[in-house]
Amino acid sequence: TKTSVREAVIKISNSEYKVEKQITVSQEAFGPTMSVSTESISAPVAGKTKNITINGNITWNASCTADWVTITPKNGAKGSSTLKVEVAANTKTSVREAVIKISNSEYNIEKQITVSQAAFGPTLSIGTESISAPVAGTSKNVTIEGNISWNASCTAEWVTITPANGTKGTSTLNVE
């Protein structure tokens, strides 16, 4: 398990006849290895789950400081292991990045996996941008679609709108 070459000498002797022979035993150094199946994960806005394969002849520990990235398990044994990476949905309007570190402190080995995620792009669309009302008045339904909640207001006292707010998805706004 040592990272340096080592040698030993076996002595075979007979003291009566003063005969001595030696056998030199040398052993190559342990070469710790660790590899990961990918060095980057690109996640869409909605999030992603990805399994990473870790191979090596040493144990490892995994960590990530980003609260939107969940990794399991936190450590693994020698051989082949699977690290499950779960990236939560991004509700922020900026791209975000995190680094997963897979390491073995005994041999000072570290692999990094960069996680990048697309920015949330708020969308809101309305079924019409104008309503023409006759003198007698009218009632119109307007479809509102989006991936964000919304509020509706009008300062004109002769226009009534219901509901005054809605959630993401498809909604109907009644304008009277």
Side-chain angles (χ1 to χ4, degrees):
T1 61
K2 303 297 180 193
T3 57
S4 58
V5 174
R6 59 185 180 180
E7 288 189 359
V9 176
I10 301 171
K11 291 184 180 183
I12 304 166
S13 62
N14 179 296
S15 58
E16 180 183 348
Y17 297 104
K18 297 190 186 339
V19 175
E20 183 177 290
K21 297 291 181 179
Q22 290 185 355
I23 300 171
T24 302
V25 180
S26 61
Q27 187 176 32
E28 63 184 43
F30 173 70
T33 62
M34 182 172 52
S35 65
V36 294
S37 60
T38 187
E39 293 179 359
S40 65
I41 298 171
S42 180
V45 171
K48 181 177 192 170
T49 298
K50 180 151 178 84
N51 289 328
I52 307 295
T53 302
I54 302 170
N55 288 307
N57 60 2
I58 56 176
T59 59
W60 53 267
N61 296 307
S63 64
C64 184
T65 58
D67 62 356
W68 49 276
V69 176
T70 304
I71 51 176
T72 50
K74 298 287 186 190
N75 51 55
K78 299 174 186 178
S80 182
S81 304
T82 299
L83 178 71
K84 182 179 180 182
V85 178
E86 294 179 79
V87 180
N90 189 358
T91 58
K92 307 292 183 195
T93 56
S94 58
V95 172
R96 58 186 181 180
E97 286 196 355
V99 175
I100 298 170
K101 294 181 180 181
I102 301 164
S103 61
N104 177 294
S105 59
E106 179 182 0
Y107 297 108
N108 198 27
I109 293 178
E110 180 178 280
K111 300 291 182 182
Q112 293 187 353
I113 300 170
T114 303
V115 180
S116 58
Q117 188 173 31
F120 174 73
T123 62
L124 192 61
S125 65
I126 54 177
T128 186
E129 291 187 10
S130 67
I131 297 172
S132 179
V135 172
T138 190
S139 177
K140 297 280 185 181
N141 287 328
V142 178
T143 301
I144 301 174
E145 293 184 61
N147 62 1
I148 55 175
S149 60
W150 53 269
N151 296 308
S153 64
C154 181
T155 57
E157 60 189 48
W158 52 275
V159 176
T160 304
I161 52 175
T162 54
N165 53 54
T167 59
K168 60 183 173 181
T170 303
S171 304
T172 301
L173 179 70
N174 179 264
V175 179
E176 289 188 43

